[in-house]
Amino acid sequence: MLGARRRNKFRNGFVTDRDYWTLRCVDIRMTNVIELDNLAVSFGGRPILKGLSIALGGRAIGLLGPNGAGKTTLIHTLLGFHKPAGGTARVLGHDVRSDAIAMRAGVGYMPERDAFVAEMTAVHFVRLMAELSGIPSEAALERAHESLFYVGLGEARYRGLETYSLGMKQLAKLAQSIVHSPRLIILDEPTNGLDPPARRRMLDLVKQIRDSGHARILFSSHMLRDVEEVCEDVLILKDGQIAAYVNLEEDRKANEGAIDIEATGNTEAFAQALTARGCRVSPSAPRRARVVLADGMMATEVFQIAATSSAQIRRLIPKRDSLDDIFHKAMENGRGSL
Amino acid sequence: MAVYEHAYSPYTGPLTPRWSRFAIIPRHAIRDVFRSKLLMVVFAVSFVYPLVAAILIYLHHNANALSILELPIKELLPIDTAFFRNYVWTQAKFGFLITLFVGPTLISGDLANNGLPLYLARPFTRLEYVAGKLTVVAALLSAVTWIPGLLLIGLQSYLEGGSWLAHHLPIVLGVFAGSWMWILVLSMLSLAVSAFVKWAMAARAALFGIMIVPSALAAVINQLFQTRWGSIVDPNSCLYSILVALFGSDARVDIPAAAAFVSIVLLLTVCAGALALKIKAYEVIR
C-alpha cells in the first residue's frame, strides 16, 4: 500500500497523463470496445483482411478462425502495428491509425509467441512494463509484485525468466498484460502449449478478470473449448472476412427446445401434426427435420404424435449447438450466415 | 492492494508524463550494464587519462611542484588547443571500447526474445524506444568524454584566471561538440549493428569491423589513387577532420571538414534507416 506521503509526492511531482484520464473517464460498460468499419489490411498488395465491419462489445470476445484467417493480423492492426489499407478500426473509442498511443494506454497485450526482455527476473520485467505504461517507478514495483502474486508466480518472481517453464512464461506474459490495469486485454493463444492444470489455471484467471468487470477481453485461440468456456461472444474469421459473429448465450437460448428428428413412414402427416400442435418444423434432409417444440411441450409427446400420424421415429436428438457446430457451420457457409 | 489479497484490482494512481518515459529504458539498462566486471574495469580505466590531464593542469600552475620535479612540463606539454584535442581523441577511443561492450546487446536481446511487441504495445513509440537505447550508450560515453573534459576546462580556467576561457572558447566547443559527434556516431552504429546481428559476440565483431575496415580501405584507396579523398569512407578520419575544425586548429587532415561532415551525416542516415527498418513490433512476411 502506498503511504499517504508517497501518494502526495506522486500527486505533486508527476503530471497526470491526459490520455489516461480520458480513458479512465469512459465508462467501462460502454457498449463497444472495438469498432471496425470496412477495415482492410494488405501486405505487399495481398489482401489479408477484407472489409471487416462490426462492433464488438461483449465482456469476453472470442476470436476464432482457421490458420491464415487473419486473426493475428486483426489483433496487430487493433494494436496499431499494421496500418489499415482501407476503412477504420477504433479501440476504446480511439482510431488505431491516428490515436494509437492513447489507445494503447488502455490496452494490455499478451503475445502468442515467447516474448520477454532479456536477462531479467519476472518482477523486474513486469515492473519495466508497468513503468512503460506510465506507472511511477515505486508504484510499478508494487503492481509488479501484485500482478505476479495474482497470476500465481509470487514465489518465483525473483527468478530469471529464462529459467521459467512454458506455463510459467505464459503466466508472466499475462501478468505484464494486466499490470497497468488495461480496459481491454488482448490474449493471443494464451493456452498454447499448456498442460491441463496450467490451462485450467489460465482459464480460471481469465474468467476471474472477466467477472471482475474491470477489463474486457479479446481471446484469440484455436481451442474451441477454451473459447466456449471463457467467451460470451465469438467472432469467426475466414479468409480475412467475417464468417460469423454469435452470442453464445443467445445461441444456446435459441436452440433450447430444438430437436433433430429422423423418421420413416408417413413423415408428411407427422410434420403437419407437429405444426398443428404449435411446433416449428424445418426439413433438413429427406426424412429428417429440425423441430422447435411448442412452449411447454415435452419431447415424449412427439412420440405420441408420430404414432397417431403413422410415422416411426428412428432417431431423436435434443439439439444444443456447441461452438464446434457453430464454427464448422461458419466454415461451410462462408460469410455471415449460420 | 496488499499482496495477500490475490484479486484483480485496477491501478488508480497518477501517471508519469509521456515525455519522460524514454528515460525508463536507460534507467533499467544501466543498472544491468555494470554487472559485467570487465566493463567496470574498462570504465574505470577510462578515467585515468582525465585524471592525468587534471594533474598536469595542476602542475602547470604549481611552481613548487614544478621545481621539485625539475621537468620542463610547461614546454613539453603546454595546456593549449592540442592538449584538449588529444584529450577528446583519446577519450573517444575509450568510448569506443565501452560501446563495444554495451551497444551490441542493447537491441539484439529484445529481437532475440521477441521483446519489441511488448514495448510497442504500450503507449511507447519506436522513436522513444530508440531514444531510450541511444541514451544508454550516450550516458556512459558522456561520463568519460565531455563531462570530464568540461571539468578540465573549468580547472584550467580557474587556475589560469583572467580571461583564459574567453580567449579559448573554441576549446569548449571542440570538447563538447567533438565529443557529441563521437557519441552520436558510436551510439547509432552500435544500435544499427545490434538491430541486425542477434548474437552479441558477432555484433561486437561487426562493430569493430565497421570502425577498423574502412580505415584499411581508405589507406588502400589513398595509396592506389595517390589521393587523400579515400579517407572519406573512414569514419575515424572524418571525425578527426571535424574535430580539428571544431577546435579551430591547423593540424594536418586528409579531407576538408565539410566533406567529412557530409560523410558522417550520411553514415548516421544509413544507421537511422536501418533502425527504422528493424525496430518494428513484428516483421511482415510478404
Side-chain angles (χ1 to χ4, degrees):
Chain A
M1 206 60 154
L2 288 171
R5 211 165 56 176
R6 195 182 300 164
R7 277 190 196 283
N8 285 335
K9 180 188 144 197
F10 286 151
R11 280 203 188 102
N12 298 330
F14 294 91
V15 178
T16 303
D17 190 311
R18 191 180 296 165
D19 298 333
Y20 175 81
W21 285 110
T22 308
L23 285 170
R24 279 268 154 244
C25 292
V26 178
D27 189 355
I28 185 73
R29 289 161 296 179
M30 61 188 272
T31 315
N32 299 320
V33 280
I34 297 168
E35 292 162 292
L36 312 179
D37 183 12
N38 206 22
L39 177 73
V41 175
S42 301
F43 295 149
R46 190 163 58 95
I48 306 297
L49 298 180
K50 304 164 188 169
L52 307 186
S53 293
I54 198 161
L56 305 173
R59 285 194 307 169
I61 305 149
L63 185 57
L64 284 175
N67 291 331
K71 301 189 298 292
T72 302
T73 303
L74 176 60
I75 287 175
H76 290 176
T77 308
L78 294 177
L79 287 164
F81 295 162
H82 304 319
K83 286 206 162 57
T88 57
R90 295 177 76 81
V91 176
L92 301 169
H94 296 274
D95 190 291
V96 298
R97 203 194 308 238
S98 60
D99 209 9
I101 295 294
M103 173 270 290
R104 287 183 200 139
V107 175
Y109 172 51
M110 177 180 170
E112 178 186 0
R113 290 189 294 169
D114 259 7
F116 299 104
V117 178
E119 294 176 11
M120 277 193 180
T121 61
V123 74
H124 190 175
F125 165 65
V126 179
R127 178 193 191 178
L128 172 65
M129 292 296 125
E131 284 189 52
L132 290 174
S133 291
I135 299 179
S137 182
E138 287 174 60
L141 180 60
E142 192 181 9
R143 290 285 304 177
H145 284 292
E146 287 167 2
S147 300
L148 288 165
F149 266 102
Y150 177 66
V151 300
L153 291 176
E155 299 303 319
R157 66 195 191 281
Y158 289 111
R159 268 173 57 187
L161 287 165
E162 59 278 1
T163 67
Y164 273 20
S165 67
L166 182 63
M168 292 167 87
K169 283 179 179 172
Q170 292 287 77
L171 291 171
K173 281 197 290 179
L174 179 66
Q176 66 80 31
S177 75
I178 60 171
V179 69
H180 56 298
S181 309
R183 295 176 56 249
L184 171 66
I185 303 170
I186 298 177
L187 306 173
D188 197 356
E189 306 280 358
T191 52
N192 245 9
L194 297 185
D195 60 23
R199 178 181 154 273
R200 170 61 28 220
R201 169 123 190 103
M202 176 65 76
L203 293 178
D204 287 345
L205 281 168
V206 175
K207 281 194 283 184
Q208 216 173 318
I209 295 168
R210 178 197 69 191
D211 295 338
S212 75
H214 294 304
R216 308 285 190 90
I217 292 163
L218 180 65
F219 189 100
S220 172
S221 178
H222 283 104
M223 312 284 279
L224 298 180
R225 273 195 308 162
D226 293 352
V227 173
E228 194 165 21
E229 187 172 339
V230 168
C231 299
E232 294 165 343
D233 298 289
V234 179
L235 175 67
I236 302 174
L237 295 181
K238 182 186 176 188
D239 295 332
Q241 293 177 306
I242 294 171
Y245 179 55
V246 288
N247 179 288
L248 293 177
E249 193 53 40
E250 281 175 14
D251 193 72
R252 280 186 199 115
K253 276 183 189 163
N255 281 320
E256 245 172 48
I259 48 176
D260 282 341
I261 293 176
E262 185 180 337
T264 56
N266 193 352
T267 52
E268 209 167 298
F270 179 40
Q272 282 169 0
L274 283 170
T275 308
R277 180 67 180 79
C279 302
R280 276 189 291 125
V281 183
S282 316
S284 54
R287 298 201 305 273
R288 285 183 195 172
R290 174 163 295 180
V291 179
V292 179
L293 300 178
D295 284 342
M297 188 175 170
M298 303 294 289
T300 47
E301 288 181 54
V302 176
F303 288 97
Q304 291 164 1
I305 295 169
T308 53
S309 312
S310 308
Q312 294 89 45
I313 292 175
R314 297 289 181 206
R315 190 181 295 178
L316 187 149
I317 304 165
K319 186 65 195 150
R320 255 191 72 200
D321 259 0
S322 68
L323 186 56
D324 200 47
D325 296 326
I326 294 169
F327 182 77
H328 284 106
K329 264 191 242 170
M331 290 302 103
E332 284 162 16
N333 294 353
R335 191 174 182 177
S337 62
L338 276 177
Chain B
M1 186 182 81
V3 289
Y4 54 83
E5 293 167 5
H6 299 167
Y8 184 74
S9 70
Y11 173 73
T12 51
L15 297 181
T16 53
R18 272 288 315 281
W19 61 263
S20 69
R21 291 185 197 163
F22 81 94
I24 293 164
I25 290 183
R27 192 152 43 77
H28 283 266
I30 286 175
R31 205 180 299 165
D32 296 336
V33 154
F34 285 107
R35 282 192 302 201
S36 161
K37 286 184 179 129
L38 199 55
L39 176 67
M40 280 288 280
V41 170
V42 173
F43 194 69
V45 169
S46 303
F47 289 100
V48 170
Y49 191 91
L51 197 65
V52 170
I55 291 168
L56 283 172
I57 291 171
Y58 175 75
L59 287 176
H60 265 259
H61 298 91
N62 191 317
N64 288 340
L66 283 175
S67 63
I68 291 166
L69 286 171
E70 292 178 352
L71 279 170
I73 288 175
K74 282 195 172 183
E75 288 77 38
L76 283 175
L77 277 164
I79 309 298
D80 56 6
T81 302
F83 177 86
F84 284 102
R85 195 186 63 224
N86 289 337
Y87 161 81
V88 173
W89 194 246
T90 309
Q91 288 308 97
K93 299 298 175 190
F94 278 108
F96 176 58
L97 273 181
I98 292 169
T99 309
L100 275 181
F101 279 97
V102 180
T105 56
L106 280 175
I107 294 179
S108 59
D110 289 337
L111 287 174
N113 294 288
N114 299 313
L116 282 176
L118 298 174
Y119 285 100
L120 301 178
R122 296 182 182 272
F124 197 70
T125 62
R126 294 158 70 198
L127 193 66
E128 285 169 322
Y129 175 83
V130 173
K133 295 288 180 183
L134 198 126
T135 308
V136 179
V137 184
L140 291 172
L141 298 196
S142 292
V144 299
T145 54
W146 65 269
I147 293 174
L150 292 184
L151 288 174
L152 288 176
I153 291 171
L155 179 66
Q156 165 67 10
S157 175
Y158 170 72
L159 293 174
E160 192 74 33
S163 55
W164 184 89
L165 191 62
H167 287 111
H168 293 85
L169 279 178
I171 290 180
V172 180
L173 179 72
V175 168
F176 187 74
S179 298
W180 269 107
M181 282 298 289
W182 264 101
I183 289 170
L184 213 55
V185 168
L186 289 176
S187 314
M188 289 295 280
L189 261 179
S190 62
L191 290 191
V193 168
S194 181
F196 278 88
V197 188
K198 287 185 182 176
W199 189 38
M201 284 310 289
R204 285 190 181 110
L207 181 60
F208 190 76
I210 286 171
M211 291 302 279
I212 300 303
V213 171
S215 297
L217 184 67
V220 170
I221 293 170
N222 287 343
Q223 197 67 34
L224 273 177
F225 299 100
Q226 293 298 305
T227 179
R228 287 181 179 182
W229 281 94
S231 299
I232 204 151
V233 300
D234 177 18
N236 279 297
S237 289
C238 292
L239 286 165
Y240 187 71
S241 293
I242 295 168
L243 193 65
V244 167
L246 285 170
F247 274 94
S249 64
D250 53 0
R252 181 185 173 278
V253 290
D254 285 345
I255 45 171
F261 186 75
V262 170
S263 173
I264 291 298
V265 168
L266 207 65
L267 177 68
L268 292 176
T269 308
V270 170
C271 291
L275 287 170
L277 199 70
K278 291 297 282 187
I279 306 301
K280 286 177 181 168
Y282 286 100
E283 294 248 23
V284 175
I285 299 157
R286 295 172 196 275

